[in-house]
Amino acid sequence: MMKRMLILVAAVALVAAACGDSTDETTTTAAAGATTAAPGTTAPPATEPPPAGPQALADACEAGQTDGDLNLYNWTEYLPYGAAAEDGEVDDLKEAFEAEYGVNLVITEYESNEAMLAQIDAGVPYDLVVPSDYMVTVMKNAGLLLKLNKAAIPNMANIDPAFSNPPYDAGNEFSAPYQWGTTGIGFSYDVIDDSEGVSWGVIFDPAMNADYAGQISLLDDERETMGAALKYLGYSLNTTDEAEVNEAAELIAATKANLAAFISAGFEDLLVQGETVVAQGWNGDFLGAYDAASTDDYDAYEDFGYAIPVEGGAAWVDTMAIPATAEHPCTALAFINFMLDAENGATLTNYTYYASPNMASQEFIWEEILEDPSIYPPAEMLQDGSLEFFSDLGDFTNMYSDAYARAKS
Amino acid sequence: MTILDEREGNRETAVNPKLERRARRRDAWRGFFHAAPAYLYLTLFFTLPLIIVFVFSFASRGRTGRPLLEGWNIDSWTRLFEPLVRTIALRSFWLAVLNTALCLLVGYPFAYWIATRRKQATRNILLVAVLIPFWSNFLVRTYAWRMLLDSDGYITQFGEMTGLWGRLLFTVPAVFLGLLYGYLPFMVLPLYAAIERLDWSLVEAGRDLYASGAAAFRRITLPLSRPGIVAGSILVFIPSLGAYVTPDILGGAKTTLLGNYIVTQFGAARNWPFGSSISGAILIVMLAVTVFYFRSGGRTL
Amino acid sequence: MTLNQGAAARPWVDRILAINGWLVFAFLYLPILVVIVFSFSASPNVGIWGGFSLRWYDRMFGNEQLMNALRNSLWVAAWSTVISTVLGTAAALAIDRYRRWLGRGVFDAVLYLPVIIPDVTMAVMLLMWFTQVNITLGRLSIILAHIAFNISFVAIVVRARLANMDPAMEEAAADLYASRWQAFRRITLPLIMPGVLGGGLLALTLSLDDVVITSLVQGPGSATLPVYVFGLIKRSVTPEINAVSTLMLAASIFLVLASLAFQRRGERSG
């Protein structure tokens, strides 16, 4: 009985495979009616034109015009609303948007760029998504995003010139910056003295961390974790040189014994609680945790710090983009304009503790955030290479994945 | 009427062979009719999607990771033989085997104890009590363990005081603790079912023949409860093979297991065809294990 | 089949078994107690007791996102449990009671596949399938997905129960000229009811706890509770989650006790 079943399944699978394109999974924009398939893997990235319908609609939008409720697909806790906004003592931006434009805001949340990509690729009709820099490149090259109708976003003028022509999306054609931040090291002053800068060696060099071995954490993210190792070894974190990538993987494998954990969610909590004393992580998460741990009598900033390592760290930008299958592009554009408003941009930063790419917001951002070099590093760092942006590796993504998997196996 | 048909012994009492045949055909139709809705549903929402996954495993990878239905190849399948995949698969395999053994070791005495309570009501209550913790959210439970096992947790403090262990969090024992916690009911329930059904008069007979308690257990109870052991082991082994959330949360994500490897392919690695082939391979292996179970005389789980 | 003197182990063995039993129960309930206890803690740091407070329960009811997720969870769980229990029971009956019908072997095998397939594979294949056949992603797609894997679990549980059943009862009914439907309703159904209930409970649990499949086939605004908790737990762990878990635990216990009592009453009067 079972054997018959196995043979049956095998036969059907072979037949289905032989029949080739009886299923048309190449349609990446199923709902909107796709034009061409995604470009072949060897061709240079050509920007796919999204289908005519929604793009034309978007281009016809005027500033402030809305066409229905907004389906926002955002990272968890990346927009202040509800009780969380109250806790953070900032305005409820969801209510503000709904009041100003008279539409509803439906929020669905995700935890990784790829989970969002899977849904958008499958044609789920969200109106606005918040992809990270490298993901914008991937999505626009696959024709998954609409070009922004700048006429409907007058507040684009508020953006800091440093972000007006980013490498991942020339001229901000498809995306508008949302927040940006850095990846570095959070630490306890008990074990680290940062007067002369902190090195990645506090994580990777056994000679340096003998005292607190087992109390170190790295992010659990192939680009970020491999990036830290690459930076320590003196390479670019976008390198496609296999030897360099393998060297980084071996370093991570060797470091594993000294680690408490690879962790991307809650690393700041572990640090504040004392489980770890040195942790790789994102500045906003650390600083938000330090602030939450501080009370009237206790200033967590005296015990904990954040630094961008001397060998260099990573910088990243999260952006707002409109999927090609959006059903309410006008409202989406209105939302982008809303978020780029000076005050709203400031509210966002005051909530997330990440830096705002919005220059006009600076007068509304809290002093302590504006003056914190961990949140707003000196501008030179973006230029002199101490902070590198991630770029999409295209076909080399697999190399990194496997190297990372090898490091952890 | 038709159940009587099934018994071979009743063949002689068949009055009219033609009636018999018609009854049998009607019976077959009834069987099909009962199963039809489920059959249709599973075909539509399981078998067909599954076939698509198999098809994808032969496709080539697009920029976003989605399969392109051109450039058919078996690359995804040949990659399965790479040393990396082998290491990961072996590690998951050993994790599953050890977890199954641990669950058996802890679960058998426990199931035996419950099954040998005299009153049915007591047994029922105890069983429900075993299940209740699992109606809370899995993640919340696992994070509670994380809290219990960290440096400030009572368990660690107890360990340090008695000198038995240090911080348990992010160590291998923590992972097994978490896995044991998650899969114990899957072992206990079938074991309980098997032990409860036991014909204790056989054990009594053994005693009458001067067998010691231990011998009686070893030679009568244990072999008779074998179906339960096998069923429980399969119910624990199969999901353990794909487990990765507990090792990540409690073990610090320091090892790559089959589960996270597959997730990565559909995620950060953007290689859906490869993810499909790994899943397909696992399915085939699992299917083989289940077939083996049935061939070796196993009953329905 | 009954426990007689033969089952009694020597007293010291029995005592050890009992101690072991209680230890295991302590092990099983430790994290649950932690969850429940800290849902009443005033401190936002889970793990640090801050005095008794109901603020998290209060906040929970005011959290629109969470309440929406809860509603979605319950809606999805209710529909998927009912439908998969019906379909799964019918499937179990079909396989166990009727030995020869078209495609039985294949069906038997297909029924086991959802149990052994990795979660993420099922999630991905359903996502791709739903977009192919243009099913809007939302609560409907989640329900359809849950039914897909729950049918098998229900069928397995009911089959286990059926295997234990003595067909003599149904024969007796047939002998007494009961129609098929009568025999089913008055004899088979009550006899397999523990299995059906058990399968239904399992389906309910699986549906309420599912994260991977649900997060991939969900649509705008249709997040379920575990998906919401999954996202939240990665950001900020506050006792609000503990409060939600405690309430859901209380609800499930209540459900089970109610169904047990209901069954007991049915047996007594029936």
Side-chain angles (χ1 to χ4, degrees):
Chain A
M1 169 196 62
M2 278 293 189
K3 189 156 70 156
R4 243 193 296 140
M5 194 268 153
L6 274 174
I7 297 175
L8 185 68
V9 169
V12 173
L14 281 171
V15 167
C19 282
D21 37 8
S22 47
T23 49
D24 48 336
E25 279 301 318
T26 44
T27 55
T28 51
T29 52
T35 48
T36 54
T41 48
T42 48
T47 309
E48 279 286 317
Q55 184 68 66
L57 273 175
D59 291 340
C61 292
E62 288 167 13
Q65 185 188 348
T66 60
D67 52 358
D69 295 340
L70 185 73
N71 277 324
L72 174 65
Y73 200 24
N74 196 355
W75 297 80
T76 326
E77 300 218 328
Y78 217 17
L79 184 76
Y81 63 91
E86 273 176 49
D87 286 347
E89 293 167 2
V90 296
D91 297 330
D92 186 327
L93 284 184
K94 176 172 179 278
E95 269 176 22
F97 179 73
E98 290 178 331
E100 193 173 325
Y101 289 92
V103 293
N104 285 327
L105 182 56
V106 178
I107 302 180
T108 318
E109 294 171 337
Y110 58 87
E111 296 83 41
S112 77
N113 279 305
E114 285 74 19
M116 179 266 295
L117 178 66
Q119 288 241 302
I120 299 300
D121 211 3
V124 185
Y126 291 102
D127 297 314
L128 195 82
V129 293
V130 184
S132 301
D133 36 22
Y134 72 96
M135 186 50 71
V136 175
T137 318
V138 175
M139 291 177 81
K140 75 174 170 105
N141 287 343
L144 294 174
L145 299 176
L146 290 182
K147 284 199 197 172
L148 295 181
N149 175 4
K150 301 293 178 69
I153 320 178
N155 282 336
M156 270 295 220
N158 289 345
I159 295 182
D160 188 327
F163 294 97
S164 324
N165 198 17
Y168 57 84
D169 179 20
N172 284 330
E173 247 192 302
F174 293 89
S175 63
Y178 186 67
Q179 295 269 270
W180 71 277
T182 59
T183 317
I185 301 183
F187 54 86
S188 157
Y189 282 114
D190 285 345
V191 294
I192 302 284
D193 170 16
D194 65 346
S195 46
E196 308 208 344
V198 182
S199 156
W200 281 116
V202 301
I203 296 182
F204 293 114
D205 187 349
M208 285 181 80
N209 55 36
D211 288 337
Y212 46 89
Q215 294 183 294
I216 307 171
S217 79
L218 278 173
L219 286 174
D220 189 14
D221 179 307
E222 54 186 55
R223 295 301 303 277
E224 295 273 17
T225 317
M226 295 285 285
L230 286 168
K231 279 299 206 192
Y232 176 65
L233 294 169
Y235 308 131
S236 154
L237 46 77
N238 291 316
T239 178
T240 51
D241 183 318
E242 197 165 348
E244 295 176 2
V245 171
N246 285 336
E247 208 185 323
E250 275 158 30
L251 178 63
I252 295 177
T255 313
K256 232 183 2 169
N258 281 340
L259 288 182
F262 289 92
I263 175 174
S264 292
F267 53 83
E268 70 276 16
D269 294 323
L270 287 182
L271 182 67
V272 170
Q273 284 163 11
E275 282 298 316
T276 55
V277 290
V278 166
Q280 177 198 20
W282 301 298
N283 55 349
D285 286 350
F286 280 123
L287 300 164
Y290 300 162
D291 193 67
S294 301
T295 58
D296 295 327
D297 322 310
Y298 168 63
D299 182 10
Y301 290 89
E302 302 200 352
D303 285 343
F304 302 103
Y306 172 81
I308 295 173
V310 295
E311 298 94 342
W316 45 265
V317 184
D318 285 332
T319 68
M320 296 180 276
I322 307 181
T325 48
E327 290 176 344
H328 314 112
C330 290
T331 320
L333 288 165
F335 185 78
I336 296 182
N337 198 45
F338 174 79
M339 291 309 298
L340 289 178
D341 169 76
E343 283 188 44
N344 295 332
T347 307
L348 185 60
T349 291
N350 291 337
Y351 173 69
T352 63
Y353 278 76
Y354 283 109
S356 174
N358 188 333
M359 262 209 327
S361 294
Q362 292 200 352
E363 61 177 292
F364 300 105
I365 296 179
W366 296 336
E367 290 287 318
E368 67 228 30
I369 293 184
L370 220 42
E371 290 169 0
D372 192 338
S374 303
I375 307 181
Y376 278 93
E380 310 84 64
M381 293 192 92
L382 283 170
Q383 266 94 44
D384 64 11
S386 350
L387 288 174
E388 220 184 323
F389 283 90
F390 289 109
S391 55
D392 176 37
L393 298 168
D395 301 326
F396 292 98
T397 319
N398 256 285
M399 184 171 72
Y400 272 74
S401 294
D402 277 353
Y404 188 56
R406 226 178 306 130
K408 288 219 285 179
S409 62
Chain B
M1 190 107 68
T2 49
I3 297 166
L4 289 171
D5 286 349
E6 307 248 84
R7 304 256 191 103
E8 293 305 315
N10 280 329
R11 273 189 191 279
E12 314 89 70
T13 66
V15 174
N16 184 337
K18 214 155 58 127
L19 258 177
E20 281 289 300
R21 237 174 317 170
R22 221 186 304 154
R24 234 194 311 258
R25 233 177 302 141
R26 204 180 43 209
D27 201 36
W29 189 84
R30 276 219 185 84
F32 185 75
F33 170 69
H34 273 76
Y39 207 163
L40 185 67
Y41 194 92
L42 282 180
T43 310
L44 272 183
F45 292 105
F46 189 84
T47 319
L48 288 181
L50 188 60
I51 291 180
I52 290 189
V53 165
F54 264 102
V55 167
F56 279 3
S57 65
F58 295 102
S60 53
R61 187 181 153 250
R63 283 221 96 201
T64 57
R66 286 271 295 257
L68 299 176
L69 291 189
E70 56 204 25
W72 299 104
N73 55 63
I74 55 167
D75 288 347
S76 306
W77 289 93
T78 43
R79 274 191 75 180
L80 290 175
F81 296 98
E82 282 175 5
L84 177 61
V85 182
R86 239 181 296 145
T87 316
I88 296 177
L90 220 61
R91 170 147 318 155
S92 292
F93 176 77
W94 279 118
L95 189 83
V97 166
L98 285 174
N99 184 39
T100 309
L102 194 61
C103 284
L104 195 56
L105 215 63
V106 174
Y108 196 98
F110 186 59
Y112 187 89
W113 176 64
I114 298 186
T116 51
R117 293 312 91 204
R118 287 188 192 282
K119 290 214 287 247
Q120 176 74 35
T122 322
R123 298 204 293 271
N124 283 349
I125 293 181
L126 286 177
L127 269 186
V128 170
V130 170
L131 282 180
I132 284 180
F134 294 85
W135 291 326
S136 62
N137 188 291
F138 162 71
L139 274 173
V140 176
R141 267 181 282 140
T142 317
Y143 272 94
W145 269 117
R146 176 136 111 176
M147 220 182 67
L148 281 168
L149 293 174
D150 72 17
S151 306
D152 299 324
Y154 293 124
I155 299 187
T156 309
Q157 286 177 19
F158 175 75
E160 279 170 358
M161 254 192 338
T162 57
L164 284 173
W165 56 68
R167 179 182 76 180
L168 277 181
L169 187 55
F170 300 137
T171 60
V172 173
V175 172
F176 280 106
L177 198 79
L179 286 175
L180 174 68
Y181 186 80
Y183 291 104
L184 198 57
F186 288 99
M187 176 63 81
V188 167
L189 289 179
L191 274 179
Y192 166 81
I195 299 178
E196 203 235 356
R197 268 189 244 136
L198 223 46
D199 188 356
W200 295 100
S201 56
L202 292 172
V203 179
E204 196 181 358
R207 290 280 183 79
D208 287 344
L209 293 170
Y210 301 107
S212 69
F217 177 76
R218 211 180 66 238
R219 302 179 120 213
I220 305 180
T221 318
L222 202 53
L224 282 179
S225 56
R226 208 179 71 99
I229 297 181
V230 176
S233 302
I234 290 195
L235 277 181
V236 170
F237 180 77
I238 288 184
S240 302
L241 210 54
Y244 69 97
V245 178
T246 311
D248 267 7
I249 296 180
L250 292 177
K254 284 185 269 201
T255 48
T256 311
L257 297 166
L258 271 182
N260 16 30
Y261 199 51
I262 297 182
V263 170
T264 315
Q265 301 314 314
F266 287 115
R270 285 181 258 140
N271 191 349
W272 292 32
F274 187 40
S276 304
S277 69
I278 305 179
S279 311
I282 292 184
L283 254 180
I284 293 178
V285 167
M286 306 275 212
L287 211 54
V289 169
T290 330
V291 168
F292 169 71
Y293 166 67
F294 278 109
R295 279 298 158 79
S296 66
R299 302 159 53 181
T300 57
L301 287 169
Chain C
M1 302 284 168
T2 56
L3 289 173
N4 49 29
Q5 291 302 103
R10 246 164 290 209
W12 63 268
V13 174
D14 206 43
R15 184 131 349 122
I16 293 192
L17 280 181
I19 295 181
N20 176 60
W22 290 115
L23 275 179
V24 173
F25 267 122
F27 170 64
L28 286 179
Y29 277 85
L30 199 51
I32 304 299
L33 288 174
V34 166
V35 168
I36 297 180
V37 163
F38 280 99
S39 71
F40 294 107
S41 153
S43 157
N45 274 323
V46 183
I48 303 178
W49 178 257
F52 185 87
S53 157
L54 287 176
R55 64 186 274 215
W56 304 109
Y57 289 90
D58 205 30
R59 197 167 128 147
M60 180 185 115
F61 288 109
N63 187 340
E64 192 47 48
Q65 202 82 344
L66 195 153
M67 285 289 111
N68 193 40
L70 187 62
R71 272 191 296 267
N72 286 336
S73 264
L74 293 174
W75 179 256
V76 165
W79 278 109
S80 66
T81 303
V82 167
I83 297 182
S84 57
T85 307
V86 169
L87 289 182
T89 309
L93 282 170
I95 295 221
D96 194 273
R97 284 272 172 276
Y98 304 97
R99 298 288 148 144
R100 260 168 261 141
W101 43 274
L102 183 65
R104 179 178 180 274
V106 177
F107 183 56
D108 198 2
V110 169
L111 216 50
Y112 277 105
L113 286 180
V115 178
I116 64 182
I117 194 173
D119 265 353
V120 69
T121 310
M122 184 142 188
V124 168
M125 80 192 199
L126 282 175
L127 174 64
M128 302 193 290
W129 182 246
F130 285 144
T131 47
Q132 265 303 100
V133 298
N134 269 324
I135 294 179
T136 21
L137 291 182
R139 299 210 292 201
L140 175 66
S141 56
I142 303 179
I143 293 178
L144 291 175
H146 285 199
I147 296 177
F149 62 75
N150 271 334
I151 291 182
S152 303
F153 283 102
V154 172
I156 289 180
V157 175
V158 176
R159 277 184 79 176
R161 179 75 193 161
L162 278 173
N164 267 349
M165 263 180 60
D166 190 356
M169 297 282 228
E170 288 159 327
E171 286 175 30
D175 282 342
L176 294 170
Y177 302 106
S179 78
R180 279 225 101 73
W181 175 244
Q182 278 176 324
F184 176 73
R185 197 166 60 89
R186 296 174 133 223
I187 308 226
T188 319
L189 197 55
L191 279 177
I192 60 171
M193 192 49 84
V196 174
L197 278 182
L201 266 178
L202 185 61
L204 187 67
T205 312
L206 291 175
S207 174
L208 283 175
D209 224 12
D210 181 66
V211 176
V212 179
I213 299 181
T214 311
S215 58
L216 228 56
V217 302
Q218 67 174 337
S222 62
T224 58
L225 197 61
V227 171
Y228 176 73
V229 168
F230 184 57
L232 207 60
I233 226 167
K234 289 191 155 224
R235 287 284 154 166
S236 62
V237 192
T238 60
E240 205 173 339
I241 303 178
N242 290 28
V244 176
S245 296
T246 308
L247 279 185
M248 292 207 68
L249 202 58
S252 8
I253 296 180
F254 174 72
L255 250 177
V256 170
L257 289 178
S259 78
L260 274 179
F262 187 68
Q263 215 191 335
R264 186 86 48 83
R265 190 150 39 99
E267 275 172 24
R268 222 173 287 146
S269 61

